[in-house]
Amino acid sequence: MKSDTRKTLYSFLGELVVYGLLVTAYFFLVLHFLGDWLAHLNKENVKLYSLACIGLIIGQAVVLEWVTTFIFRLLRGRSE
Amino acid sequence: MNFLAMHFPISGTDISPVYLVVIGFLIGILGGFFGVGGSFIAGPALRAIGMHWNFAVGTDLAHIVGKSVVAAKRHRALGNVDLKLGLIMALGTIGGAEVGAQLIQMLKRQGNVDFVVSIISIAVYFSISFFMVWESWRTVRLQRKKGGTTEKGRHAKDESSFAGLTRLVHRVPLWPMISLPTSGVKAVSLWVIVVVSFIGGLFSGFLGGGAGYIRMPMMVYILGIPTHLAVGTDLFEIIISASYGTFSHAIKGNVDILVALVMNTGAAVGAQIGAILTQYFAGPKIRLLFVPIPLIGVAIVLYTLFTGHKL
């Protein structure tokens, strides 16, 4: 295996480990608290729930993109 | 499937978050690389673990929004998004999606929606795959005849054997004519773009998902958009049209946003990897690699049609 390929593979595995830890913490802390509130909102006010769906999925995507880009840069020591 | 199962109260299902993250990751790679939503995999994958079809369709749309945000941001950083084209296309897509949904309602009333949609989807998916194999093969042969290109990846010239058709479409004199400098299009009728996006939206409303499998080829062959830009712009446009679809489904009670949020954590990594991979492949190669994607859809529909079982 070429040293460049090996380096890329190692940094990718490192990224996955760091990201996996962050995601696990996210599941247990955030989704645990959000779950009941969203289920309640879905029953009580479906229009607000629909808007919350769009806001949450876009908001999470933007934050995750920042996190993954940050991890990519941190572990590789250079910008993508 | 029940490894570390988590309860999702909105859809009332128990699903392993590990399963959702892995599915999201795989679909993220497909989306980042090809500019497709991956609904033909996500829908059956959610159905396979016991989620009802209405929730599978609505939740998948919400997940597509999140995944497309990540992939489109990465493509934007790589210079692969034509914002002007994406915004115009979003209008046509929303109109087409509404007409597609109305056609479904009409077939529902006649009582033959499953059969008709299955047959049409097989014909459409198969035709796209066949056409793209034929076109990519012709383009690669044309390049070899000309002496080939020494450049690799996105820097290689993005040729298409349908350049004649593209030139013809660009000459359609329907006012207003607009220019797309980012995509290298000097003048094209606004109506041509609206019709192309309307057809994409029609397929999205009729067959479900983001319909990137038909919009991306149409952008390349009809509008003459370079493949890398077609992938990135399609993803940007999907954010708008899938958001509209998510809102519409959520109002009807078909979205479990918690499932979509968990899937999206895997998709965030996959979409970035998929987008970065496009840098290492030339346009015709990306189009050739795209071929098995609609065929997966054909296999799923055929399985459902002949066995009567849902995956």
Side-chain angles (χ1 to χ4, degrees):
Chain A
M1 195 188 284
K2 284 180 185 172
S3 65
D4 277 357
T5 316
R6 195 181 297 147
K7 201 177 160 189
T8 309
L9 188 67
Y10 284 150
S11 43
F12 177 63
L13 289 174
E15 283 155 22
L16 278 185
V17 171
V18 175
Y19 191 76
L21 290 171
L22 286 170
V23 165
T24 310
Y26 176 74
F27 285 155
F28 287 104
L29 290 171
V30 182
L31 293 183
H32 177 73
F33 293 112
L34 266 182
D36 289 339
W37 177 72
L38 282 169
H40 178 73
L41 193 64
N42 184 38
K43 279 181 191 153
E44 299 300 316
N45 191 339
V46 78
K47 278 186 185 163
L48 193 61
Y49 171 76
S50 307
L51 286 173
C53 285
I54 308 281
L56 278 170
I57 199 78
I58 291 178
Q60 181 186 275
V62 171
V63 172
L64 284 178
E65 203 270 341
W66 284 342
V67 171
T68 49
T69 305
F70 176 72
I71 296 170
F72 268 69
R73 285 180 182 170
L74 192 75
L75 291 171
R76 291 185 183 176
R78 62 182 170 83
S79 75
E80 281 296 320
Chain B
M1 300 295 175
N2 283 326
F3 173 65
L4 289 175
M6 192 169 143
H7 182 66
F8 291 90
I10 298 168
S11 57
T13 43
D14 293 296
I15 311 170
S16 163
V18 178
Y19 175 83
L20 293 175
V21 172
V22 171
I23 292 294
F25 177 74
L26 294 175
I27 295 166
I29 292 179
L30 289 178
F33 191 73
F34 296 115
V36 295
S39 55
F40 45 86
I41 297 174
L46 289 175
R47 179 72 187 128
I49 43 174
M51 189 177 257
H52 289 294
W53 265 118
N54 58 319
F55 270 112
V57 171
T59 305
D60 174 39
L61 266 171
H63 155 254
I64 285 173
V65 174
K67 186 206 68 187
S68 302
V69 168
V70 177
K73 269 198 88 185
R74 173 55 64 173
H75 274 285
R76 177 112 172 97
L78 296 169
N80 292 346
V81 178
D82 188 332
L83 283 175
K84 187 178 176 185
L85 176 65
L87 287 169
I88 296 169
M89 289 193 78
L91 293 174
T93 303
I94 289 171
E98 272 303 322
V99 175
Q102 291 302 323
L103 283 173
I104 288 285
Q105 291 299 105
M106 194 184 81
L107 287 171
K108 230 190 226 177
R109 282 194 291 273
Q110 289 175 358
N112 52 5
V113 63
D114 285 343
F115 182 74
V116 174
V117 174
S118 295
I119 297 297
I120 291 177
S121 60
I122 289 169
V124 169
Y125 296 159
F126 191 77
S127 306
I128 294 166
S129 290
F130 179 78
F131 173 78
M132 288 189 88
V133 169
W134 178 69
E135 190 281 332
S136 303
W137 178 71
R138 252 182 67 152
T139 306
V140 171
R141 251 185 44 171
L142 204 75
Q143 283 176 338
R144 280 194 191 139
K145 252 187 200 170
K146 279 183 186 170
T149 173
T150 51
E151 288 184 291
K152 300 250 183 224
R154 60 171 286 126
H155 300 295
K157 196 171 178 235
D158 193 3
E159 288 175 327
S160 154
S161 56
F162 276 76
L165 172 72
T166 308
R167 277 195 295 273
L168 200 71
V169 168
H170 286 183
R171 280 202 292 264
V172 173
L174 263 176
W175 187 86
M177 301 295 280
I178 59 160
S179 67
L180 302 166
T182 313
S183 300
V185 176
K186 282 180 187 159
V188 64
S189 169
L190 177 77
W191 297 108
V192 170
I193 299 173
V194 171
V195 168
V196 163
S197 54
F198 182 87
I199 295 169
L202 188 67
F203 277 88
S204 171
F206 192 74
L207 300 178
Y213 49 80
I214 190 139
R215 203 182 302 105
M216 201 276 274
M218 283 200 301
M219 285 167 85
V220 173
Y221 301 123
I222 297 175
L223 297 179
I225 309 298
T227 309
H228 295 92
L229 269 153
V231 171
T233 308
D234 186 32
L235 283 162
F236 170 73
E237 194 268 336
I238 284 174
I239 296 172
I240 301 167
S241 51
S243 293
Y244 174 80
T246 302
F247 184 78
S248 172
H249 271 283
I251 292 248
K252 293 175 185 86
N254 294 338
V255 176
D256 189 333
I257 192 64
L258 289 165
V259 172
L261 288 170
V262 175
M263 279 176 86
N264 195 234
T265 54
V269 180
Q272 295 230 30
I273 293 169
I276 292 165
L277 281 176
T278 59
Q279 290 179 96
Y280 302 102
F281 292 88
K285 290 260 171 67
I286 294 177
R287 303 203 291 270
L288 202 57
L289 288 167
F290 181 83
V291 169
I293 306 297
L295 289 180
I296 295 170
V298 171
I300 292 170
V301 178
L302 278 175
Y303 175 83
T304 314
L305 200 64
F306 284 110
T307 63
H309 297 118
K310 284 166 182 168
L311 279 178

